Amino acid sequence: QVQLVESGGGLVQPGGSLRLSCAASGNIFSNSVMAWHRQAPGKQREFVAVITNGGATNYADSVKGRFTISRDNAKNTLYLQMNSLKPEDTAVYYCNKVPGTWGQGTQVTVSS
């Protein structure tokens, strides 16, 4: 079974940047569709971004132009580059293999 471990979260000021990483093990990363979702307290989990095994990407409207999803198949790692961060981006960010299999999440807090 695939295991996913997110890292790179933290505290950042509005307008700042973070890069999240998701290290995968137990599966063939290059053959997987991978996605990022996030969940803020009191909110439902929402889709953020997805990347296919061929490298095609799609984003939620709320993050288009600010976030970039990418993958390094040689390192079995998924990334989410987050720029121009806003307080409403504050959430626990989860990577997942589509369908199913979720990481434990990494906290992103955007605050002054």
Side-chain angles (χ1 to χ4, degrees), residues 32-101:
S32 301
V33 176
M34 302 293 295
W36 289 97
H37 291 72
R38 66 188 182 186
Q39 187 167 23
K43 303 290 186 180
Q44 289 197 340
R45 184 179 61 196
E46 67 173 338
F47 166 78
V48 175
V50 64
I51 185 167
T52 71
N53 56 342
T57 60
N58 202 5
Y59 300 89
D61 288 342
S62 59
V63 306
K64 283 182 179 177
R66 300 189 298 120
F67 290 12
T68 303
I69 188 171
S70 62
R71 63 198 298 164
D72 186 335
N73 291 338
K75 296 182 178 180
N76 281 356
T77 302
L78 178 74
Y79 301 99
L80 184 68
Q81 178 67 46
M82 305 185 294
N83 299 326
S84 302
L85 283 161
K86 305 174 180 179
E88 53 261 44
D89 295 318
T90 296
V92 176
Y93 284 72
Y94 300 90
C95 76
N96 75 282
K97 176 181 180 293
V98 180
T101 308

Side-chain angles (χ1 to χ4, degrees), residues 23-36:
S25 63
N27 209 344
I28 302 175
F29 184 85
S30 62
N31 290 341
S32 301
V33 176
M34 302 293 295
W36 289 97

